[in-house]
């Protein structure tokens, strides 16, 4: 159900990326601007020999307007990311996650009616609301997994659950292309994925619960096992407040934030704008675009498991440290895609080469999941949820900027204009990676709460001494307060 939750979140997030190519009438803009580098059109030929246009393309939006609409989701997503984590901690992950995704599903169902009634403005507002509904998804799922999954199973379960993101991208892209093929109405895309989200919520409400102790049908054997093996199975455990001041002053945290911004910039460029590049520049028809857009995500999903296994194997064999492993895989996942998207833009109208470079780009991006994506667990295992929420919420600014910026850089959606947009992406990916290489760390930071889970074996100075001094001060204060 967790995998399907993430899958749902991503299908509802990305379905507009493909649908907008069939919502907007681009004929007027194409007639007004001649592109000498334009690729041959792959329009669908109907049985009567005429070219199939876009029968439901009723909107006349510029590229910058489309970019602003596509970025609207991430405004809402950034707003509710941290509050969503807090609500999940306080009230449980079940309803925080469930109600959030249900609201997004309802807004997705409303999309065709809203956009026809209010145009671009109403659609932008609706996308912001959809983003607000999805903001708590990742923090709430992290908390649910922390309550239910024993430590020795978390890598496998986490890979399974969060792999739903790529499955959602694959399923969303393929089904969107299928539903709009021929003369299919783009509204069907929103109805399909909205209903899919509502059905998931019904199943989630019946089958899933926030903690083992609140599950009415759990066996006594499983409940005892989970309470013994899962530290946070009891949500009443007391812990220190999140050390926000120390987190903000931590250099490795800033390095991680830069890497996250770079990752999101490259990832959102691909997720949001690859369908437009396939349709507007390479001139694939919508059915082919849906299929070809799904393949890079499949490559990323498979490669993430390969990179993860390779990193764990090398660390286990002591071939390199955790820090070195994080830097190596983050570098592969940043510079590799940066180079590939530039090569794709210079491949011109060689469709096979361009698509191959895009697939290679996303496959190499799978290294992020064994690089900076899990670095928060290294730096602060006890505050990984809060740190992840802060990093993810802040780096979402990339999702806000990239669609609108690309819209500004590609007003006529020509190959040369897209090449400039890809060079900007290259600069961000490489620049943020350099920062991460210099200042990244793979060790637990001194400000992490070491009281609840004990001390790492390699801590002999510094933080350990400070923690012991804090304990002595606490004991003296307690003795003084009690009059002893």
């Amino acid at each position: 159900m967790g995998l399907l939750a993430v899958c749902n979140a991503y299908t509802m997030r990305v379905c507009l990326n493909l649908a907008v190519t069939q919502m907007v009438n681009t004929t007027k803009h194409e007639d007004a601007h001649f592109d000498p580098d334009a690729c041959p059109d792959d329009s669908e030929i109907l049985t009567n020999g005429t070219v199939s246009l876009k029968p439901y393309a009723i909107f006349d939006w510029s590229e910058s307007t489309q970019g602003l609409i596509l970025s609207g989701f991430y405004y809402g997503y950034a707003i509710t990311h941290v509050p969503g984590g807090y609500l999940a901690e306080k009230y449980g992950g079940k309803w925080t996650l469930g109600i959030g995704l249900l609201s997004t599903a309802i807004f997705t169902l409303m999309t065709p009616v809203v956009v026809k009634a209010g145009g671009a403005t109403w659609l932008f507002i609706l996308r912001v609301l959809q983003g607000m509904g999805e903001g708590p998804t990742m923090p709430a799922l992290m908390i649910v997994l922390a309550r239910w999954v024993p430590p020795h199973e978390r890598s496998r379960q986490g890979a399974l659950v969060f792999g739903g993101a790529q499955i959602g991208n694959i399923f969303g892209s393929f089904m969107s292309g299928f539903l709009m093929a021929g003369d299919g109405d783009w509204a069907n895309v929103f109805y399909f994925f909205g209903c899919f989200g509502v059905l998931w919520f019904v199943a989630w409400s019946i089958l899933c619960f926030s903690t083992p102790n609140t599950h009415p049908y759990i066996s006594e054997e499983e409940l005892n096992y989970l309470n013994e093996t899962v530290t946070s199975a009891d949500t009443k455990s007391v812990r220190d407040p999140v050390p926000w001041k120390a987190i903000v002053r931590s250099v490795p945290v800033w390095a991680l934030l830069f890497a996250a911004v770079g990752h999101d910039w490259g990832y959102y460029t691909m997720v949001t704008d690859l369908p437009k590049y396939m349709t507007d520049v390479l001139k694939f028809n919508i059915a082919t675009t849906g299929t070809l857009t799904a393949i890079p995500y499949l490559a990323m999903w498979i490669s993430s498991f390969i990179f993860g296994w390779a990193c764990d194997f090398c660390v286990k064999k002591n071939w390199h440290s955790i820090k070195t492993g994080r830097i190596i895989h983050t570098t592969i996942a940043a510079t590799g895609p940066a180079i590939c998207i530039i090569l794709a833009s210079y491949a011109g109208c060689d469709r096979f080469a361009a698509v191959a470079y895009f697939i290679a780009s996303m496959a190499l991006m799978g290294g992020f999941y064994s690089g900076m994506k899990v670095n928060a667990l290294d730096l602060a295992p006890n505050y990984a949820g809060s740190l992840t929420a802060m990093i993810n919420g802040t780096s979402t600014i990339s999702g806000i900027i990239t669609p609108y910026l690309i819209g500004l850089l590609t007003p006529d959606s020509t190959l040369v204009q897209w090449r400039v947009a890809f060079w900007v992406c290259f600069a961000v990916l490489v620049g943020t990676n350099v920062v991460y290489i210099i200042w990244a760390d793979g060790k637990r930071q001194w400000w992490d709460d070491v009281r609840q889970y004990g001390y790492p074996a390699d801590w002999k100075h510094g933080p350990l001494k400070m923690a012991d001094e804090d304990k002595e001060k606490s004991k003296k204060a307690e003795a003084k307060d009690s009059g002893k």
Side-chain angles (χ1 to χ4, degrees):
M1 292 305 300
L3 181 148
L4 290 176
V6 179
C7 177
N8 251 309
Y10 273 76
T11 55
M12 292 187 290
R13 180 187 305 189
V14 305
C15 61
L16 179 63
N17 303 343
L18 206 63
V20 74
T21 64
Q22 304 303 298
M23 296 168 66
V24 179
N25 184 2
T26 57
T27 306
K28 181 188 298 185
H29 302 290
E30 290 172 354
D31 292 341
H33 179 84
F34 172 73
D35 179 15
D37 300 313
C39 300
D41 202 344
D42 189 24
S43 300
E44 296 178 34
I45 306 299
L46 302 181
T47 53
N48 60 3
T50 61
V51 178
S52 174
L53 300 175
K54 302 175 182 178
Y56 299 100
I58 58 177
F59 302 105
D60 183 23
W61 297 334
S62 66
E63 292 294 328
S64 59
T65 300
Q66 294 177 55
L68 187 62
I69 291 170
L70 292 173
S71 70
F73 175 93
Y74 299 100
Y75 285 90
Y77 188 74
I79 291 171
T80 58
H81 210 79
V82 174
Y86 171 78
L87 290 173
E89 284 280 9
K90 189 173 180 64
Y91 300 108
K94 173 179 179 176
W95 296 116
T96 305
L97 173 63
I99 293 174
L101 285 183
L102 175 64
S103 67
T104 303
I106 293 172
F107 293 140
T108 301
L109 285 169
M110 293 169 56
T111 299
V113 176
V114 169
V115 68
K116 289 175 183 177
T121 302
W122 285 24
L123 179 58
F124 176 81
I125 295 171
L126 189 66
R127 289 292 289 178
V128 173
L129 294 174
Q130 285 179 304
M132 293 178 69
E134 282 197 20
T137 301
M138 294 303 178
L141 264 179
M142 287 286 282
I143 290 165
V144 171
L145 289 175
R147 304 288 187 260
W148 277 94
V149 182
H152 63 279
E153 295 181 14
R154 284 178 183 167
S155 296
R156 186 171 68 253
Q157 298 267 23
L160 178 67
V161 170
F162 295 112
Q166 303 317 319
I167 294 177
N169 285 329
I170 295 165
F171 183 60
S173 299
F174 179 79
M175 284 305 300
S176 295
F178 176 78
L179 291 168
M180 292 186 292
D183 290 333
D185 190 348
W186 52 262
N188 295 332
V189 172
F190 300 100
Y191 295 142
F192 178 83
F193 291 119
C195 291
F196 190 60
V198 172
L199 290 174
W200 170 87
F201 173 77
V202 173
W204 174 264
S205 302
I206 296 171
L207 300 174
C208 300
F209 295 84
S210 296
T211 66
N213 293 323
T214 57
H215 198 299
Y217 314 119
I218 192 171
S219 67
E220 186 176 350
E221 181 183 3
E222 184 182 3
L223 179 61
N224 292 335
Y225 171 74
L226 290 174
N227 282 328
E228 289 172 3
T229 57
V230 181
T231 308
S232 57
D234 184 2
T235 58
K236 295 180 181 179
S237 58
V238 179
R239 54 178 294 178
D240 293 335
V242 179
W244 288 116
K245 184 183 291 186
I247 290 175
V248 171
R249 293 178 177 179
S250 174
V251 174
V253 168
W254 279 98
L256 177 58
L257 178 59
F258 269 82
V261 169
H263 163 266
D264 285 1
W265 193 286
Y267 185 72
Y268 290 139
T269 296
M270 298 292 285
V271 168
T272 307
D273 293 295
L274 184 57
K276 287 177 62 61
Y277 187 83
M278 293 278 195
T279 303
D280 296 345
V281 177
L282 298 180
K283 304 292 186 182
F284 285 112
N285 62 53
I286 190 62
T288 307
T289 297
T291 302
L292 293 180
T293 303
I295 294 174
Y297 304 125
L298 178 62
M300 184 179 182
W301 184 53
I302 295 171
S303 70
S304 65
F305 289 104
I306 297 173
F307 280 121
W309 173 84
C311 186
D312 286 346
F313 182 80
C314 292
V315 170
K316 186 176 180 180
K317 293 288 186 179
N318 290 320
W319 291 350
H320 59 60
S321 66
I322 292 176
K323 173 184 174 180
T324 304
R326 301 291 179 249
I327 291 174
I328 290 172
H329 286 79
T330 301
T331 302
I332 291 172
T335 57
I339 294 170
C340 286
I341 61 173
I342 293 300
L343 293 174
S345 69
Y346 282 95
C349 295
D350 186 344
R351 291 173 169 181
F352 178 82
V355 171
Y357 284 131
F358 283 130
I359 293 172
S361 173
M362 293 301 285
L364 292 171
M365 204 174 283
F368 271 119
Y369 290 98
S370 52
M372 50 75 55
K373 278 291 185 181
V374 293
N375 197 198
L377 293 172
D378 305 323
L379 301 178
N382 296 320
Y383 294 107
S386 299
L387 183 57
T388 300
M390 188 197 81
I391 296 293
N392 286 359
T394 306
S395 65
T396 302
I397 190 173
S398 298
I400 296 172
I401 295 174
T402 50
Y404 184 61
L405 178 62
I406 289 176
L408 292 176
L409 293 174
T410 60
D412 304 306
S413 204
T414 64
L415 178 60
V416 175
Q417 292 171 350
W418 273 95
R419 193 171 291 157
V420 174
F422 287 147
W423 271 113
V424 172
C425 184
F426 176 93
V428 173
L429 279 168
V430 173
T432 54
N433 184 63
V434 170
V435 174
Y436 186 75
I437 290 172
I438 297 172
W439 286 292
D441 200 352
K443 294 182 180 179
R444 181 184 290 186
Q445 300 301 290
W446 67 266
W447 41 263
D448 188 44
D449 181 8
V450 297
R451 294 179 178 86
Q452 186 175 0
Y453 296 107
Y455 303 106
D458 60 342
W459 275 19
K460 298 178 181 178
H461 306 287
L464 179 58
K465 183 178 179 182
M466 292 169 63
D468 287 339
E469 289 174 354
D470 288 344
K471 280 187 174 182
E472 283 298 318
K473 289 177 182 178
S474 298
K475 287 179 180 179
K476 291 178 180 179
E478 291 174 2
K480 185 177 180 180
D481 291 340
S482 62
K484 294 180 182 178

